[in-house]
Amino acid sequence: MTPRGRGEHLEQGRRLRRPLASEPRERVVAVVGAGASGTLVAVNLLRLGNVRVTLIDPSENGRGVAYSTRDEHHLLNVPACGMSGLADNPDDLLEWCAGRGMKVGSRDFLPRSLYGDYLQALLARFDQGGACRSFAPAWRT
């Protein structure tokens, strides 16, 4: 019996546990940080399907520091036309605003709090099956 090289036993175990090609495997992903970036990662994972996502953050999903302000005078530094959360639908933010009866031009600078609302709604839109959950640890940054 020859000794195994480093990691060989792990590779052998992976081969044994590999599912059949006909059996799609659900992925489980943890995203640390549920501000804009973490929320958008979760949204795009959910869009791919066959995944469960846990967002880990002590604060509200979609807000982070940048979009947690409630002061309507704090505006985005990019016009609405450049702030869609979906790369394949650059008008998604504008359509979301229109669906809520808001008259928003593509070159308008929206309140940061409104963008936080949009990110939360975007996550809810793609989490129809409840595949995303939130975990709020006790630590604060």
Side-chain angles (χ1 to χ4, degrees), residues 114-128:
L114 181 65
Y115 191 69
D117 295 343
Y118 164 70
L119 291 174
Q120 289 180 327
L122 191 62
L123 182 61
R125 184 187 340 161
F126 289 101
D127 188 27
Q128 295 297 317

Side-chain angles (χ1 to χ4, degrees), residues 4 20 68 83 87 122 131 133:
R4 292 183 182 181
L20 299 174
S68 60
M83 292 298 292
L122 191 62
R133 68 182 196 103

Side-chain angles (χ1 to χ4, degrees), residues 26-95:
E26 181 179 64
R27 306 289 182 185
V28 178
V29 179
V31 178
V32 179
S37 295
T39 298
L40 289 171
V41 166
V43 164
N44 284 287
L45 287 169
L46 292 168
R47 291 178 74 196
L48 292 173
N50 204 25
V51 65
R52 284 186 296 137
V53 179
T54 299
L55 286 168
I56 303 170
D57 199 306
S59 302
E60 281 184 277
N61 293 345
R63 299 237 173 243
V65 173
Y67 308 114
S68 60
T69 180
R70 292 298 179 180
D71 187 332
E72 295 295 314
H73 294 98
H74 294 163
L75 303 179
L76 296 172
N77 56 347
V78 174
C81 64
M83 292 298 292
S84 172
L86 305 177
D88 58 343
N89 184 0
D91 292 332
D92 189 64
L93 174 60
L94 295 169
E95 292 165 2

